[in-house]
RNA sequence: GCCUCUGUGGCGGAAUUGGUAGACGCGCUCGACUCAAAAUCGAGUUCCUUCGGGAGUGCCGGUUCGACUCCGGCCAGAGGUACCA
């Protein structure tokens, strides 16, 4: 809000909208617990939050307010879904999905964290279901390359997206097996290091690889081993501690360059079915996992990239060499650099027909089907004869039914007596409506476009949307680094490909802000206590009610589970919106967490009062106060720079300094001007006070519409400067000199200092360093 | 494990390119005003000190006339994460 108000005052057209990402699980949970309809619950929350935002005086364009749970929003989303369906960016696939047994729904890969549902925390199960997917992988390369142009995004977020997309370039090739398994005589593996192919000691497949599954059917000991592998956890810590386990199948794989060179085929717990082909060849000398595995199962460790040693002696030690170097012990590759050898092996594989250069991505297509009620209905009809058919757009929006029940778990749309009945748009025969709804991340993937343009008859108007987009300054928590920000980038690209939008990137500038935190308190029995229930007596904390001892805990993100939330309503009532705003801006830089404190807001409240008294007691007077003029103009320039950089805490500090200077100054025309200007400087942060003062000063219109004051460059520089006098880098004295004084004069002035003379004690300085207008350092 | 970020008074935090460390605020101390308190105003507030000074930005070392800032090595905390072949 401060940035929006500032940009407005500096002559920019500003679009600062507000809306509600309102579909999703919390509304359904509330419905189940409190027996209210999700829509009713959601709209009541929206009303409450809208009041809070208005009370804090945010300069929002409420005419563009939207809520994703209303048909006039999600109906347009359905139209975009149909466009993507037509453009081949949506497909339906029977696939193993991540099933959250508590929330009774499917989760996207991005929503599975350490093998658990991101919301419920329940261990995710694998299930086969027919699901809708969006082809985000079509844009994998572009999403990756586009990151380079997002110069105004934090490096951290770009890096996280890069890792998530996970591009690996390498060779996919085939091993011939000594005996066919389930009718297959070949095994596909993927590697990014084809150059090390002569260093391989074994081949391994994932425990859930089809080959392993097939073998397990005939050999129970393999089934037992597979079960053992799947029992292990998938969190980073568990993986770290987990031992490499392998099962030697007794099957041999023929080395592609020498068929009689046979590599043992293992089933191994560290190979992932979800990545590459689910099978690898192990080169222990140059891969840590392979080395750990080989040491355990006593497999040969051959050096093929020189690590200083170029002999064919067995590789020593327990640390794999993954660096660059010249190839050794590798026949026709010997002497080549890693990169050159890589290309040579790929070329040979392609020429001889046993493999091809490939790029493998970690990124998967975005599964968007959710078996939930409170989401955007997917506008598809399933017809027995025609298959899935997109609804004609004139039948949109597909509106959610109101009469639903949440007594049984699962999707209420599925159980609704009539809602799912519909005729096939193609053959007119009775058919069934899709009862899955869209992942709520779809709702937030294009709302910024709808903010920019909101016609009734279509999702947006191209020219109107492009006039505002991309978003100049996007602000959100770092928790959106992957999910939301990647989906929105994809959605924008999809619209771009379909010719609906010229831009590819939705957000030019991104800022990840911190969260509001508060101390936590626990009673003797370990239960959490809210800040209103406790009080401090000196060093100790007790319960207000009965004086029982309280254990203060660490400062954490405000959350209902820790009970450390603070209701902004009463605070805004007590101190006023401007004091609340001032406090939120004043101390912590916005990228860091903000520790909420009652004491802090009182300080802000006092300053707001002080500002008012200062403005109120302003009087017209004659005379110039050069020092105050300078302070004023330095503040104008500094506050502007700080707001542009979102360093609100520094801007606040500069305004404090100016206020202090004005209070100390005698009445003058300069002082009068400074006070009148101060009103505009605080306007973005304390708008209510500023408007009142503006009106009282008999200025026209609103200060919100006023121009930001201009700094006079001539007044930004001092004509006198304080020079530090150092001896051996230690400060000994300071002197005041005219700005621009010559080096020689400055040196002479420094040497004339009593304190310098006393320190030198008659000795001659060895050397004198003079930094003009800054300091003199005497080396003794 | 790996990657990223962070580490400065009692607290939140400032310190352009290496150039007076601790701006600004909170808190605290003392004083003024008051019968008293609140509010307000003024002074002080990194630590030690024999009042000359000395030490000091997580720790150890280096570069430099000069290091919170640059380099090397540690330690601690937060966040991210992929056994990715």
């Amino acid at each position: 809000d401060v940035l929006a108000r500032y940009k407005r005052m500096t002559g920019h057209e500003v679009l600062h909208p507000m809306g509600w990402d309102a579909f999703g699980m919390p509304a359904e949970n509330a419905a189940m617990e409190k027996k209210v309809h999700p829509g009713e619950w959601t709209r009541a929350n929206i009303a409450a939050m809208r009041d809070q935002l208005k009370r804090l005086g945010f300069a929002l364009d409420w005419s563009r307010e939207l809520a994703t749970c209303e048909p006039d929003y999600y109906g347009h989303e359905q139209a975009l879904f149909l466009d993507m369906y037509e453009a081949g960016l949506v497909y339906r696939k029977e696939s193993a999905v991540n099933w959250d047994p508590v929330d009774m729904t499917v989760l996207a890969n991005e929503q599975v964290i350490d093998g658990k549902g991101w919301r419920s925390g329940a261990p995710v199960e694998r299930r086969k279901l027919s699901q809708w997917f969006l082809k985000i992988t079509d844009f994998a390369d572009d999403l990756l390359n586009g990151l380079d142009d997002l110069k105004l995004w934090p490096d951290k977020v770009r890096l996280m997206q890069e890792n998530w997309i996970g591009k690996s370039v390498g060779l996919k090739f085939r091993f011939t097996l000594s005996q066919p398994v389930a009718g297959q005589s070949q095994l596909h593996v993927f590697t990014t290091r084809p150059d090390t192919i002569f260093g391989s000691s074994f081949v391994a497949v994932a425990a859930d690889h089809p080959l392993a599954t097939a073998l397990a059917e005939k050999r129970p000991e393999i089934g037992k081993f597979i079960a053992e592998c799947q029992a292990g956890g998938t969190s980073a810590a568990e993986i770290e501690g987990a031992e490499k386990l392998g099962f030697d199948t007794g099957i041999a794989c023929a080395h592609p360059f020498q068929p009689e060179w046979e590599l043992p085929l293992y089933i191994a717990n560290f190979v992932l079915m979800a990545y590459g082909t689910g099978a690898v060849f192990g080169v222990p000398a140059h891969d840590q996992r392979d080395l750990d595995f080989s040491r355990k199962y006593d497999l040969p460790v051959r050096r093929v990239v020189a690590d200083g040693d170029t002999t064919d002696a067995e590789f020593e030690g327990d640390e794999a060499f993954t660096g660059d170097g010249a190839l050794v012990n590798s026949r026709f590759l010997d002497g080549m650099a890693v990169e050159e050898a890589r290309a040579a092996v790929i070329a040979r594989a392609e020429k001889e027909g046993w493999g091809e250069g490939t790029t493998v991505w970690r990124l998967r297509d975005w599964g968007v089907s959710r078996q939930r009620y409170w989401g955007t209905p997917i506008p598809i009809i399933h017809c027995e004869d025609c298959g899935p058919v997109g609804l004609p757009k004139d039948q949109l929006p597909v509106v959610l039914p109101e009469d639903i029940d949440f007594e049984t778990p699962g999707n209420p749309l599925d159980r609704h007596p009539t809602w799912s009945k519909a005729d096939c748009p193609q053959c007119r025969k009775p058919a069934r409506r899709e009862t899955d709804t869209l992942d709520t991340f779809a709702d937030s993937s294009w709302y910024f476009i709808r903010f920019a343009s909101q016609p009734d008859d279509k999702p947006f108007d191209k020219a109107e949307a492009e006039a505002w987009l991309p978003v100049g300054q996007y602000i959100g928590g770092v928790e959106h680094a992957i999910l939301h920000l990647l989906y929105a980038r994809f959605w924008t690209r999809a619209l771009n490909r379909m010719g609906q939008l010229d831009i590819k990137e939705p957000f030019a500038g991104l800022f990840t802000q911190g969260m509001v935190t508060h101390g936590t308190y626990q009673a003797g029995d370990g239960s959490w206590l809210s800040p209103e229930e406790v009080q401090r007596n000196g060093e100790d904390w007790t319960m207000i009610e009965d004086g029982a001892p309280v254990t203060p805990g660490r400062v954490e993100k405000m959350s209902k589970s820790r009970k450390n939330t603070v209701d902004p309503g009463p605070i805004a009532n007590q101190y006023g919106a401007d004091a609340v705003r001032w406090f939120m801006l004043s101390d912590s830089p916005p990228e860091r967490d903000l520790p909420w404190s009652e004491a802090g807001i009182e300080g802000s409240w006092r300053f707001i009062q002080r500002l008012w008294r200062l403005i109120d007691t302003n009087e017209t007077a004659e005379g110039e106060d050069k020092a105050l003029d300078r302070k004023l103009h330095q503040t104008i320039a500094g506050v502007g720079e700080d707001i542009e950089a979102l360093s609100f805490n520094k801007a606040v500090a500069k305004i404090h300094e100016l206020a202090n200077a004005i209070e100390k100054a005698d009445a003058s025309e300069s002082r009068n001007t400074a006070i009148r200007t101060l009103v505009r400087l605080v306007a973005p942060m304390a708008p209510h006070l500023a408007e009142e003062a503006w009106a009282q000063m008999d200025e026209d219109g609103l200060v919100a519409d006023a121009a930001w004051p201009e700094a006079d460059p001539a007044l930004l520089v001092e004509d006198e400067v304080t020079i530090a006098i150092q001896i051996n880098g230690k400060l000994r004295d300071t002197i005041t000199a005219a700005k621009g004084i010559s080096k020689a004069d400055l040196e002479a002035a420094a040497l004339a200092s009593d304190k310098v003379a006393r320190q030198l004690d008659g000795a001659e300085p060895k050397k004198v360093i003079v930094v003009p207008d800054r300091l003199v350092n005497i080396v003794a």
Side-chain angles (χ1 to χ4, degrees):
Chain A
D1 189 53
V2 172
L3 185 69
R5 287 175 177 273
Y6 169 78
K7 286 285 183 186
R8 212 176 132 85
M9 290 177 78
T10 49
H12 297 84
E13 277 194 80
V14 177
L15 174 51
H16 187 209
M18 179 52 67
W20 315 95
D21 188 18
F23 269 142
M25 295 279 310
E28 291 199 22
N29 291 339
M32 283 177 251
E33 283 161 23
K34 302 184 177 115
K35 312 282 178 212
V36 291
H37 189 274
E40 195 185 314
W41 182 83
T42 301
R43 289 178 192 109
N45 282 342
I46 287 175
M49 291 174 75
R50 189 195 295 115
D51 280 352
Q52 286 183 347
L53 293 178
K54 285 189 172 176
R55 168 177 277 165
L56 286 170
F58 291 122
L60 294 160
D61 183 350
W62 290 107
S63 75
R64 292 173 190 257
E65 179 186 7
L66 58 83
T68 59
C69 64
E70 304 300 346
D72 63 5
Y73 181 82
Y74 70 70
H76 295 300
E77 187 169 309
Q78 291 167 340
L80 293 177
F81 180 89
L82 291 170
D83 290 341
M84 287 196 217
Y85 189 38
E86 205 161 298
L89 293 172
V90 176
Y91 65 96
R92 191 169 168 78
K93 192 176 75 176
E94 168 92 4
S95 68
V97 296
N98 305 304
W99 179 261
D100 187 318
V102 170
D103 286 345
M104 304 269 291
T105 189
V106 163
L107 300 174
N109 289 332
E110 288 84 342
Q111 293 163 346
V112 180
I113 293 152
D114 290 342
K116 299 188 179 80
W118 72 300
R119 184 175 287 284
S120 73
V124 167
E125 297 169 6
R126 305 292 289 176
R127 279 208 185 175
K128 283 252 176 191
L129 278 179
S130 218
Q131 299 287 300
W132 291 100
F133 287 86
L134 300 190
K135 273 197 190 167
I136 190 169
T137 55
D138 254 31
F139 299 85
D141 231 338
D142 199 38
L143 285 166
L144 182 66
N145 295 333
L147 292 172
D148 289 340
D149 300 325
L150 296 173
K151 308 262 188 247
L152 300 178
W153 279 39
D155 291 341
K156 180 167 76 169
V157 174
R158 292 195 292 182
L159 184 67
M160 284 165 73
Q161 290 217 351
E162 189 183 318
N163 288 339
W164 189 265
I165 294 166
K167 181 181 185 176
S168 298
V169 179
L171 172 71
K172 190 170 150 184
F173 71 98
R174 296 169 280 286
F175 280 108
T176 302
L177 302 175
S178 59
Q179 61 184 82
V181 180
Q184 298 289 315
S185 61
Q186 292 195 315
L187 174 68
H188 292 255
V189 301
F190 172 75
T191 178
T192 54
R193 294 295 301 275
D195 52 298
T196 62
I197 194 160
F198 291 105
S200 60
S201 303
F202 64 94
V203 177
V205 297
D208 47 348
H209 192 280
L211 188 148
T213 314
L215 288 175
E217 278 170 24
K218 300 215 176 85
R219 296 164 62 181
E221 72 274 23
I222 291 185
K224 203 177 141 210
F225 176 77
I226 292 173
E228 216 175 292
C229 291
Q230 287 167 343
T234 51
S235 73
E238 284 171 306
I239 285 163
E240 198 49 47
E243 203 180 353
K244 305 273 177 289
L245 294 177
F247 186 98
D248 188 350
T249 62
I251 297 169
C253 302
H255 195 284
F257 281 106
Q258 187 184 347
E260 61 278 18
W261 178 0
E262 295 192 324
L263 301 169
L265 175 67
Y266 280 82
I267 297 165
N269 66 342
F270 66 90
V271 181
L272 304 176
M273 192 57 218
Y275 187 77
T277 61
V280 299
F281 75 94
V283 183
H286 306 293
D287 182 284
Q288 193 58 48
R289 283 164 323 174
D290 296 349
L291 184 62
D292 294 345
F293 187 79
S294 296
R295 290 290 184 230
K296 178 160 182 194
Y297 293 100
D298 208 19
L299 295 160
V301 184
R302 267 181 297 272
R303 169 185 297 105
V304 288
V305 179
D307 57 344
D309 189 347
T310 58
T311 68
D312 61 356
E314 176 89 351
F315 186 91
E316 300 280 339
D318 289 317
E319 228 168 282
F321 175 73
T322 54
D324 204 354
L327 273 282
V328 294
N329 308 319
S330 296
R331 308 186 188 186
F332 71 100
L333 301 174
D334 283 352
M336 291 184 186
V338 165
E339 203 44 56
E340 192 185 349
R342 230 178 248 184
V345 172
I346 292 172
R348 275 285 279 272
E350 288 179 348
K351 191 172 149 215
E352 293 171 8
W354 49 268
E356 47 281 320
T358 328
T359 300
V360 165
W361 302 89
R362 204 186 90 95
L363 185 70
R364 301 284 127 136
D365 275 336
W366 177 14
V368 291
S369 296
R370 296 291 181 274
Q371 293 68 47
R372 311 258 26 131
Y373 165 73
W374 196 234
T376 299
I378 295 175
I380 297 282
I381 302 293
H382 294 283
C383 170
E384 272 186 29
D385 296 341
C386 312
V389 179
L391 272 176
K393 284 196 184 164
D394 58 17
Q395 291 183 36
L396 298 183
V398 179
V399 179
L400 287 170
E402 289 287 317
D403 52 329
I404 36 118
D405 88 277
F406 285 96
E407 291 305 309
T408 25
N411 184 359
L413 291 178
D414 231 8
R415 297 190 308 268
H416 193 277
T418 54
W419 189 76
S420 65
K421 294 187 171 63
D423 293 339
C424 171
Q426 270 171 27
C427 68
R428 304 288 162 201
K429 276 207 273 189
R432 188 179 148 72
R433 199 182 283 287
E434 171 69 60
T435 56
D436 283 356
T437 50
L438 285 175
D439 181 2
T440 57
F441 278 105
D443 310 331
S444 54
S445 290
W446 71 284
Y447 75 98
F448 42 91
I449 309 173
R450 183 74 187 167
F451 270 145
S453 167
Q454 29 196 229
D456 288 337
D457 60 338
K458 55 183 175 183
F460 56 89
D461 175 78
K462 184 167 185 277
E464 209 176 18
E466 280 165 3
W468 285 111
L469 297 172
V471 177
Q473 183 64 62
Y474 201 51
I475 298 175
V478 72
E479 69 274 16
H480 293 126
I482 297 170
L483 298 172
H484 164 58
L485 290 168
L486 192 63
Y487 293 145
R489 293 181 66 221
F490 153 70
W491 199 286
T492 308
R493 276 172 170 73
L495 294 174
N496 174 281
R497 180 181 287 184
M498 296 187 299
Q500 296 194 22
L501 212 51
D502 280 344
I503 59 156
K504 277 184 165 185
E505 289 291 348
F507 314 118
L510 173 68
F511 186 83
T512 51
Q513 103 269 43
M515 283 177 277
V516 183
T517 60
H518 198 283
T520 51
Y521 312 95
Q522 273 176 296
D525 62 359
S527 64
W528 298 97
L529 300 169
S530 80
E532 290 102 68
E533 293 176 286
V534 303
Q535 64 183 359
R536 183 177 189 164
N537 326 331
E539 288 298 293
D540 299 325
W541 291 83
T542 53
M543 279 187 72
I544 291 170
E545 197 180 286
D546 57 7
V550 168
T551 313
R554 42 186 267 177
V555 175
E556 291 188 68
K557 168 191 171 185
M558 285 192 184
S559 73
K560 282 184 194 158
S561 64
R562 292 280 190 274
K563 281 201 178 177
N564 61 339
T565 55
V566 172
D567 182 352
I571 296 170
N573 283 345
Q574 187 179 351
Y575 296 101
D578 283 353
V580 174
R581 292 169 64 104
W582 197 264
F583 171 64
M584 290 195 285
L585 297 165
S586 51
D587 280 348
S588 290
E591 68 272 18
R592 268 192 234 178
D593 288 344
L594 169 74
W596 188 267
S597 90
E598 203 73 14
I601 194 159
E602 268 178 37
S604 295
W605 178 79
R606 279 204 297 270
F607 183 71
I608 295 292
Q609 304 302 313
R610 222 177 108 202
L611 267 183
W612 179 252
R613 284 196 301 274
L614 193 60
I615 293 162
D616 201 36
T617 57
N618 191 23
E619 54 187 354
T620 49
E622 297 294 312
E624 187 187 51
D625 182 338
K626 199 77 179 179
L628 189 60
D629 287 346
R630 280 208 191 85
K631 187 77 197 169
L632 173 65
H633 284 265
Q634 285 164 358
T635 307
I636 293 169
V639 168
E641 280 168 28
D642 289 339
I643 292 177
E644 298 261 8
L646 305 178
S647 303
F648 305 117
N649 55 326
K650 291 197 245 172
V652 163
K654 291 193 172 91
I655 288 172
H656 267 282
E657 283 185 62
L658 178 62
N660 291 346
I662 293 173
E663 278 184 342
K664 286 196 173 68
D666 293 326
S668 67
E669 199 186 337
S670 296
R671 188 176 189 271
N672 183 272
T673 305
I675 290 173
R676 297 180 76 91
T677 309
L678 179 63
V679 171
R680 277 182 289 163
L681 293 179
V682 301
M685 300 166 187
H688 306 90
L689 171 95
E691 291 297 355
E692 188 63 28
W694 190 252
Q696 193 169 303
M697 294 185 323
D698 287 327
E699 295 280 1
D700 290 334
L702 294 174
V703 71
D705 295 322
W708 186 254
E710 267 182 57
D712 180 352
L715 288 168
L716 295 182
V717 286
E718 303 282 352
D719 52 9
E720 277 195 333
V721 285
T722 307
I723 306 290
I725 311 297
Q726 299 179 335
I727 293 175
N728 294 334
K730 287 208 181 297
L731 183 72
R732 292 301 172 190
D733 199 1
T734 57
I735 56 172
T736 310
K739 192 176 168 68
I741 183 173
S742 76
K743 278 193 169 195
D745 289 350
L746 201 52
E747 182 173 336
L751 290 170
S753 155
D754 290 348
K755 289 183 184 167
V756 168
R758 196 165 56 202
Q759 282 285 326
L760 287 176
D761 199 21
E764 272 303 298
K766 291 198 188 93
K767 192 175 171 188
V768 178
I769 285 140
V770 180
V771 182
D773 296 336
R774 267 251 150 83
L775 61 74
V776 179
N777 189 17
I778 297 160
V779 186

